[in-house]
């Protein structure tokens, strides 16, 4: 049987499909099979300009500008309902695109409507306040206003979920948005895009441009009509975006890399801790910013933790992510697998020892980018494999003795995204949490999330807030208004009135 031609996906701009300016498309590969599965439009500066101008026009169009906050909430609720209706198809698209388990993608898509429902409810709670002054004839109040055009640049590991964390609050605040997904995972965003029109959003409020970061992405970031950039990805790219935006005083929200510590004290439930370690680093094949890739186990339980994690890692079932029995799918790209291979070799060269895994994995009938769950011991926190983000199924387990020693080791990294603590001692938990340099800390759990809970990164792990009510400040500007309610002029026009 001869396979038909691969589908071609165009940009989504101003409510309709748009072919790329140069007519170029790039290939996207299914990481499970290693074969091309579709072509996506290769956007350039002209495509980026068209999308931004469409968003800018929509922002000023009364069809969006004059929509009440309550009506914005209703549109978001309708969108949430449509996402729920299309959840299975969207989940399968993401699995085929990035190799994550279908069971995990189904769970993500089941939670996705919650983000839009949450911000739908928040839409008409965005308001200013009145401020008392020294003079009763002066009224001072504040306004919370949308910024304008927001550019959202999203990664390949959880395209729809991480887009929702940006889109939902941006739209609830009244902005318009241009999304640039990773060139490795364009399909699900393009599949989602028409649902905005179906939900009732005016054309141009949400646009999707696909392409490479150095072409479409850079053009979007540098566009003079862009008021805000929200980016999730590597610290290196985030730094470049922050530098570019800083030159033009454009705001940024950056969720960047991590090298998160997962800490086990001797009094912890060791079985639960070992399960949490395995889930914290091997879920999504380690391709998550919050992966607990540095494990610190207190010396009395160090050997037991190593043995349990090694045994559990060896038992992980690799396979087709569409198979419900699979526990670990492929890495998202061939380049990502090569990167993980290089880091494993580097760890061995630095003196660490592999107790399980360490190489490519073979899966019957599949020629995808599989890699074995890998556990390092005899590692030192100063090694590159303990300091640099690998973004793969690789963990290093290191011992510690005292709480102060642990805190010094855990915080000895350029990152500060997340951390995990396993202990039965509640006083210790609070004490350690307060001293960890991490935007999110889990105690006796790992990778829990909710649209209601704010997320941020310290140090090289980013800047700004995502999720929760605090994120509204990222997508609005605060205006202070002063009104003289008296009948006469000011007492002295050359003296400021406090």
């Amino acid at each position: 049987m001869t396979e038909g031609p691969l589908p071609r996906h165009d940009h989504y701009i101003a409510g309709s499909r748009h072919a790329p300016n140069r007519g170029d498309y790039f290939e996207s590969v299914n990481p499970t099979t290693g074969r091309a599965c579709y072509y996506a439009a290769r956007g350039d500066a002209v495509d980026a300009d068209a999308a931004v101008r469409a968003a800018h026009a929509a922002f000023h169009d009364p069809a969006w500008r004059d929509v009440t906050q309550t009506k914005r909430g209703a549109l978001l609720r309708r969108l949430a309902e449509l996402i729920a209706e299309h959840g299975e198809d969207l989940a399968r698209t993401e699995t085929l695109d990035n190799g994550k388990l279908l069971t995990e993608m189904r769970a993500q898509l089941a939670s996705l409507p919650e983000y839009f429902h949450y911000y739908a409810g928040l839409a008409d709670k965005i308001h200013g306040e009145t401020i008392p002054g020294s003079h009763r004839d002066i009224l001072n109040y504040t306004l919370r206003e949308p910024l304008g055009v927001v550019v959202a640049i999203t990664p390949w590991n959880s395209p729809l979920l991480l887009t929702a964390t940006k889109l939902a609050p941006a739209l609830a605040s009244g902005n318009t948005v241009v999304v640039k997904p990773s060139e490795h995972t364009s399909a699900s965003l393009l599949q989602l895009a028409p649902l905005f029109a179906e939900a009732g959003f005016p054309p141009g409020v949400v646009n999707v441009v696909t392409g490479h970061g150095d072409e479409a992405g850079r053009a979007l970031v540098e566009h003079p009509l862009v008021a805000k950039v929200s980016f999730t990805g590597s610290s290196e790219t985030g730094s470049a975006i922050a530098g570019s935006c800083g030159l033009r005083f454009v705001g940024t929200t950056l969720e960047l890399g991590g090298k998160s510590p997962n800490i086990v004290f001797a009094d912890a439930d060791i079985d639960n801790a070992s399960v949490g370690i395995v889930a914290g680093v091997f879920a999504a094949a380690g391709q998550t910013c919050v992966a607990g890739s540095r494990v610190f186990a207190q010396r009395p339980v160090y050997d037991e933790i190593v043995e349990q994690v090694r045994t559990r890692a060896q038992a992980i079932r690799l396979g087709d992510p569409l198979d419900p029995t699979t526990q670990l799918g492929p890495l998202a790209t061939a380049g990502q697998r090569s990167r993980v291979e290089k880091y494993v070799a580097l760890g061995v060269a630095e003196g660490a020892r592999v107790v399980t895994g360490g190489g490519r994995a073979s899966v019957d009938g599949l020629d995808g980018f599989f890699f074995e769950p890998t556990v390092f011991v005899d590692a030192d926190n100063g090694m590159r494999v303990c300091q640099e983000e690998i973004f793969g199924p690789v963990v290093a387990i290191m011992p510690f003795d005292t709480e102060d020693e642990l805190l010094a080791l855990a915080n000895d990294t350029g990152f500060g995204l997340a951390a995990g603590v396993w202990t039965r001692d509640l006083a210790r938990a609070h004490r350690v949490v307060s001293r960890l340099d991490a935007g999110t800390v889990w105690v006796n759990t790992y990778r829990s999330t909710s649209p209601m809970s704010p997320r941020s990164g310290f140090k090289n792990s980013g800047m700004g807030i995502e999720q929760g009510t605090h994120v509204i400040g990222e997508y609005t500007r605060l205006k202070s208004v002063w009104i003289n309610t008296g009948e006469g002029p000011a007492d002295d026009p050359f003296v400021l009135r406090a």
Side-chain angles (χ1 to χ4, degrees), residues 268-269 272 420-425 442-446:
D269 183 321
N272 286 343
V421 178
W422 301 85
T423 180
R424 289 188 173 96
D425 186 335
W442 293 287
V443 178
N444 297 329
T445 185
Y446 206 88

Side-chain angles (χ1 to χ4, degrees), residues 46-241:
V46 174
D47 299 309
D49 179 68
V52 172
R53 290 189 182 279
H56 186 259
F59 180 73
H60 292 283
D61 190 325
W64 178 247
R65 183 195 64 201
D66 294 344
V67 169
T68 66
Q69 291 170 264
T70 301
K71 175 63 174 176
R72 287 205 300 261
L75 291 172
L76 287 168
R77 276 189 287 273
R78 176 57 183 148
L79 177 64
E81 293 168 356
L82 290 170
I83 291 172
E85 291 174 15
H86 292 80
E88 178 66 17
D89 288 341
L90 290 167
R92 285 184 172 273
T93 297
E94 293 231 323
T95 292
L96 295 172
D97 228 3
N98 68 4
K100 294 182 78 169
L101 302 183
L102 180 58
T103 51
E104 180 176 358
M105 299 321 302
R106 282 173 172 157
Q108 280 195 11
L109 264 297
S111 70
L112 205 65
E114 294 180 16
Y115 286 80
F116 293 97
H117 280 301
Y118 178 74
Y119 288 101
L122 196 58
D124 55 8
K125 283 80 176 174
I126 301 170
H127 53 73
E129 57 187 359
T130 57
I131 301 171
S134 302
H135 299 271
R136 297 190 63 84
D137 58 352
I138 296 292
L139 172 64
N140 180 208
Y141 63 90
T142 60
L143 297 172
R144 277 277 174 198
E145 300 178 336
L147 299 171
V149 178
V150 172
V151 165
I153 301 178
T154 57
W156 43 259
N157 56 335
S158 291
L160 289 180
L161 180 64
L162 294 176
T163 298
T165 65
K166 305 174 189 302
L167 264 178
L171 295 174
S173 301
N175 300 284
T176 56
V177 185
V178 179
V179 183
K180 208 293 284 184
S182 166
E183 61 269 26
H184 302 298
T185 52
S186 303
S188 60
L189 262 297
L190 292 170
Q191 188 175 340
L192 176 71
L195 298 185
F196 288 91
E198 189 174 344
F201 287 88
V205 171
V206 177
N207 310 270
V208 180
V209 172
T210 57
H212 297 283
D214 58 352
E215 296 173 342
R218 178 178 296 166
L220 288 171
V221 168
E222 296 177 352
H223 200 289
L225 294 180
V226 168
K228 166 85 177 184
V229 176
S230 182
F231 169 78
T232 299
S234 72
S235 298
E236 294 77 13
T237 302
S239 177
I241 289 173

Side-chain angles (χ1 to χ4, degrees), residues 106-433:
R106 282 173 172 157
Q108 280 195 11
L109 264 297
S111 70
L112 205 65
E114 294 180 16
Y115 286 80
F116 293 97
H117 280 301
Y118 178 74
Y119 288 101
L122 196 58
D124 55 8
K125 283 80 176 174
I126 301 170
H127 53 73
E129 57 187 359
T130 57
I131 301 171
S134 302
H135 299 271
R136 297 190 63 84
D137 58 352
I138 296 292
L139 172 64
N140 180 208
Y141 63 90
T142 60
L143 297 172
R144 277 277 174 198
E145 300 178 336
L147 299 171
V149 178
V150 172
V151 165
I153 301 178
T154 57
W156 43 259
N157 56 335
S158 291
L160 289 180
L161 180 64
L162 294 176
T163 298
T165 65
K166 305 174 189 302
L167 264 178
L171 295 174
S173 301
N175 300 284
T176 56
V177 185
V178 179
V179 183
K180 208 293 284 184
S182 166
E183 61 269 26
H184 302 298
T185 52
S186 303
S188 60
L189 262 297
L190 292 170
Q191 188 175 340
L192 176 71
L195 298 185
F196 288 91
E198 189 174 344
F201 287 88
V205 171
V206 177
N207 310 270
V208 180
V209 172
T210 57
H212 297 283
D214 58 352
E215 296 173 342
R218 178 178 296 166
L220 288 171
V221 168
E222 296 177 352
H223 200 289
L225 294 180
V226 168
K228 166 85 177 184
V229 176
S230 182
F231 169 78
T232 299
S234 72
S235 298
E236 294 77 13
T237 302
S239 177
I241 289 173
S244 175
C245 290
L247 293 174
R248 297 175 291 117
F249 304 107
V250 171
T252 57
T253 297
L254 306 171
E255 186 193 12
L256 308 178
K259 198 68 182 176
S260 302
N262 210 348
I263 301 155
V264 185
F265 285 96
D267 68 323
D269 183 321
I270 302 305
D271 289 340
N272 286 343
S274 64
V275 170
I277 291 166
V278 169
V281 73
F282 297 133
Q287 298 169 122
T288 171
C289 298
V290 299
S293 54
R294 292 184 303 145
V295 169
F296 296 98
Q298 202 160 23
R299 203 169 297 274
V301 296
Y302 172 78
D303 290 338
E304 186 176 358
I305 285 292
V306 168
E307 182 58 24
Q308 284 214 27
V309 172
R310 182 189 67 83
T311 301
R312 293 181 188 277
Q314 287 177 336
I316 292 174
R317 293 188 297 276
L318 280 75
D320 187 340
L322 293 174
D323 184 339
T325 66
T326 296
Q327 295 176 312
L328 188 71
L331 293 170
T333 67
Q336 189 61 25
R337 183 173 63 178
S338 296
R339 173 185 172 89
V340 174
E341 283 183 306
K342 290 176 182 176
Y343 268 105
V344 171
L346 176 62
V348 173
E350 288 180 311
R353 180 167 57 93
V354 174
V355 294
T356 189
R360 296 187 179 193
S362 296
V363 176
D364 291 342
L366 298 174
D367 192 24
F369 313 129
F370 295 91
F371 199 88
E372 297 171 324
T374 301
V375 178
F376 273 118
V377 296
D378 299 339
D380 179 270
N381 194 55
M383 293 178 176
R384 287 180 60 188
V385 290
C386 296
Q387 289 292 318
E388 299 175 15
E389 187 175 44
I390 299 173
F391 224 62
V394 180
V395 64
I397 306 178
M398 294 168 279
F400 72 93
D401 290 302
T402 67
E403 191 174 300
D404 285 341
E405 178 194 8
L406 172 277
L407 287 163
L409 288 168
N411 291 333
D412 182 20
T413 172
F415 297 104
L417 191 59
V421 178
W422 301 85
T423 180
R424 289 188 173 96
D425 186 335
L426 185 59
R428 168 184 282 149
H430 285 295
R431 192 167 58 244
V432 171
V433 163

